[in-house]
Amino acid sequence: MQKKNVLKSVVLIVLMLVIVVGCSSANTNDSQPDAPAASNTGKETVQPDEKPQEVALSMWSRWPGPMEDMMKETITEFEQAYPHIKVELASAAPDQYVAQLQTAIAGENLPDIFAAHPTVPVYQLHELDQLLPLSDVIGDRIHEFEQGSLVEGTTQMNGEVYALPIMSSKKDGFVMYYNMDVLEKAGLTEADVPKTWEELIKVSEQVVAATNRESYGLLYGLKSSWLVGLVAQTMGSEISPEVLPFTHMNPTNGHYELNRPGIVETLEFFKDMVDAKLVHPNSLVITAQEASSLFVSGQAAFLFDGAWRAAEFVGMDFVDFGVEFLPTKSGGQQYIEFTGNLAAGLHASKHTKHPEEVGVFLRYFMDKYYPKIVNAGVQYSPMPTINEAATMPHELLKKTLQIQNEQFVPSPDAIMVNQNAVAVYSEASGKKPKETIGTIMEGYLSGQISDLAGTLQKLSDETQKAHEDAIAKVKQEGLEVDVSDWVFPNWTPLVPYEAQ
């Protein structure tokens, strides 16, 4: 009991100190039951010959754009199927959502259903006793979810599900788009689309020469440093596969390694492209969104961006493009670690006055919303059978999502062997350096950073220290945890990992 109280106090402190940051998505049976099905909260009390009592459910979203539009469509359809249940959806600005959650938790007035956020994870909300269990809502369909989408410490606590994924956890992959019109003007075809860095340089030189610099080889938005940094980390994974590309942890020794060859050589390659004037000069001063607009207008042959950009292109009737894996140094395999995460999800408040109706809505949501996002080509759902049956509006969307899905490789994480690792992550949150590969890349390409290796080593040392300090602090609080929990000597890079 003492350990639990100490951990709960730590969670409360961490939660209230969270700094709001900008956030970087089924059954195909269309038939509906005549009355709401039972959930884990008890049996349905409404008899067939009784008129159901009218109920209003409150719901918060933080995903403006296509995802929220499809949520609204699903809610409208649900209210037609269940006229006695109204779902009042409120949209929160992404950069204000964490503060809104904090206020609601402190005032004990969370909505019935609310969007998950990575800075307020399941284990914190569970310790604060804020979540309604959803295992019975999901029921037997738990076996339909992709492996790794329902994970202890991320979507589950003590085997109970507390978060409903609303899209595949294998999301936020990064790809290379190519403009077909620009390639044609340069006398190139899809067969010339580069797979290696050397090929990208050669093709870019041909584009610049053939168009007299009306078009450049490469475009990206460096001001969206988080995105470009992750692009570089993905590209560098071919060179240093032993280090998890996004978390920078080396599972074979349990150390954070940011100053690794994969990062150094990739950033040096970007610098070479800039110095050779093969990169659109605006790339250093614009955002990813602005870069995508220049790409559509034909000012570059290639764009490095997120896989989600394809749906935006198709939605604006721009289909004169192709998509491929990011080029790597030697054309070898790139990857992003997949350790089980909640890319986007929904929670239900433990203090809801309408748990039965919450269960009814969430089951309907799985049936209807999952196919919507896949068929629109926005994201894969967390259910592979739905993804395989999807009919997307354009083949380009299908190929983009396939590339993204293939980039993710199941990889080890300390939570797999010790649930107390979540307390370490919570303790280290906010105490690691604010610099990222993206911000260092921005400084390096703009000439503000000259000692690349030294800067990366400093970041690596500070990250490792924050990690070790967090482990020591958690141990002092009485929880069993050790640095060895982050060591997986039996792991082979690029081979899907299964915890023994």
Side-chain angles (χ1 to χ4, degrees):
M1 181 63 70
Q2 182 178 5
K3 293 179 182 178
K4 184 174 181 180
N5 290 337
V6 170
L7 180 57
K8 187 170 182 177
S9 298
V10 171
V11 170
L12 279 166
I13 293 171
V14 171
L15 178 60
M16 298 310 296
L17 290 178
V18 170
I19 299 174
V20 180
V21 296
C23 297
S24 14
S25 16
N27 191 326
T28 56
N29 186 352
D30 290 336
S31 63
Q32 297 303 319
D34 295 327
S39 75
N40 61 311
T41 55
K43 295 183 179 180
E44 176 59 45
T45 57
V46 177
Q47 299 301 319
D49 58 346
E50 294 179 350
K51 182 179 180 180
Q53 181 179 1
E54 292 190 0
V55 168
L57 300 178
S58 55
M59 179 176 175
W60 286 355
S61 168
R62 64 174 184 87
W63 303 286
M67 288 177 58
E68 191 167 288
D69 291 342
M70 283 179 276
M71 281 187 181
K72 292 176 181 177
E73 290 179 10
T74 304
I75 289 172
T76 297
E77 295 165 358
F78 172 78
E79 291 177 341
Q80 292 172 350
Y82 296 90
H84 67 291
I85 306 176
K86 302 299 180 185
V87 181
E88 300 169 350
L89 180 66
S91 179
D95 60 350
Q96 299 174 8
Y97 187 67
V98 174
Q100 183 173 320
L101 271 184
Q102 291 175 336
T103 301
I105 292 170
E108 297 186 351
N109 60 350
L110 280 168
D112 300 291
I113 302 166
F114 59 100
H117 194 282
T119 62
V120 191
V122 163
Y123 59 83
Q124 289 184 346
L125 292 169
H126 179 261
E127 286 295 326
L128 294 172
D129 200 28
Q130 297 294 322
L131 299 180
L132 182 74
L134 301 177
S135 296
D136 286 354
V137 171
I138 294 175
D140 292 339
R141 302 196 68 183
I142 193 168
H143 303 295
E144 298 179 39
F145 284 81
E146 65 185 356
Q147 184 178 9
S149 61
L150 298 174
V151 177
E152 192 71 20
T154 300
T155 50
Q156 295 177 300
M157 292 299 296
N158 302 319
E160 192 77 63
V161 178
Y162 288 99
L164 177 69
I166 65 171
M167 64 174 67
S168 170
S169 293
K170 296 177 180 178
K171 68 173 289 291
D172 291 346
F174 302 91
V175 299
M176 178 177 69
Y177 298 101
Y178 52 93
N179 188 307
M180 295 295 299
D181 184 56
V182 174
L183 290 181
E184 184 178 340
K185 288 180 180 179
L188 301 165
T189 69
E190 286 187 283
D192 298 302
V193 173
K195 292 181 173 57
T196 68
W197 294 352
E198 183 179 354
E199 290 171 352
L200 178 58
I201 291 174
K202 180 180 178 180
V203 171
S204 296
E205 289 174 341
Q206 188 166 340
V207 168
V208 168
T211 64
N212 197 26
R213 295 198 178 276
E214 289 185 4
S215 298
Y216 287 81
L218 178 62
L219 246 176
Y220 49 82
L222 190 59
K223 285 302 177 183
S224 298
S225 59
W226 65 272
L227 187 151
V228 183
L230 293 175
V231 166
Q233 289 164 224
T234 304
M235 292 169 65
S237 65
E238 181 216 29
I239 301 171
S240 301
E242 72 281 359
V243 180
L244 301 180
F246 281 17
T247 61
H248 310 293
M249 169 64 73
N250 185 335
T252 62
N253 59 25
H255 289 164
Y256 285 94
E257 298 179 5
L258 290 90
N259 184 26
R260 57 185 183 271
I263 296 297
V264 174
E265 292 183 33
T266 302
L267 267 57
E268 289 176 342
F269 167 72
F270 272 90
K271 186 71 162 56
D272 290 342
M273 289 280 290
V274 170
D275 292 344
K277 295 182 172 51
L278 301 176
V279 175
H280 194 293
N282 288 3
S283 292
L284 303 185
V285 295
I286 59 176
T287 65
Q289 184 65 53
E290 292 168 329
S292 70
S293 297
L294 295 179
F295 174 74
V296 171
S297 68
Q299 295 192 38
F302 305 104
L303 172 73
F304 290 171
D305 206 337
W308 59 86
R309 194 71 68 188
E312 178 182 307
F313 289 156
V314 172
M316 59 190 290
D317 293 327
F318 173 66
V319 293
D320 194 22
F321 73 93
V323 61
E324 262 301 343
F325 285 96
L326 293 165
T328 55
K329 182 178 181 179
S330 304
Q333 182 179 349
Q334 61 195 254
Y335 83 105
I336 301 169
E337 71 267 24
F338 181 62
T339 57
N341 60 78
L342 182 64
L346 296 174
H347 299 306
S349 171
K350 185 175 183 178
H351 308 295
T352 177
K353 295 179 181 179
H354 311 291
E356 291 292 344
E357 289 78 9
V358 166
V360 172
F361 173 72
L362 291 179
R363 279 188 287 273
Y364 185 96
F365 187 88
M366 287 190 288
D367 284 340
K368 299 296 184 179
Y369 182 79
Y370 288 173
K372 283 183 186 294
I373 61 171
V374 187
N375 289 332
V378 174
Q379 282 293 347
Y380 276 145
S381 82
M383 292 185 174
T385 54
I386 292 178
N387 302 336
E388 293 165 3
T391 54
M392 298 183 192
H394 203 285
E395 281 296 313
L396 285 167
L397 300 178
K398 184 175 182 179
K399 183 177 181 181
T400 303
L401 291 183
Q402 286 176 338
I403 290 174
Q404 173 178 261
N405 191 64
E406 291 175 19
Q407 282 180 322
F408 286 85
V409 175
S411 305
D413 183 79
I415 294 178
M416 295 176 177
V417 295
N418 187 348
Q419 288 302 298
N420 291 334
V422 299
V424 174
Y425 292 139
S426 178
E427 174 63 29
S429 177
K431 297 177 182 176
K432 291 181 180 179
K434 292 182 174 57
E435 293 84 359
T436 65
I437 297 300
T439 57
I440 290 177
M441 181 175 176
E442 185 176 3
Y444 179 61
L445 296 186
S446 63
Q448 298 175 30
I449 293 176
S450 57
D451 182 9
L452 178 60
T455 303
L456 289 171
Q457 187 59 50
K458 181 175 182 292
L459 181 59
S460 188
D461 293 341
E462 291 175 352
T463 303
Q464 182 66 23
K465 184 178 186 305
H467 174 64
E468 293 176 357
D469 288 348
I471 293 175
K473 180 73 177 297
V474 170
K475 290 176 73 172
Q476 289 176 359
E477 292 167 352
L479 292 179
E480 294 184 2
V481 67
D482 190 79
V483 292
S484 61
D485 294 331
W486 278 263
V487 179
F488 295 81
N490 62 327
W491 177 60
T492 301
L494 302 177
V495 176
Y497 183 81
E498 292 182 3
Q500 302 300 312

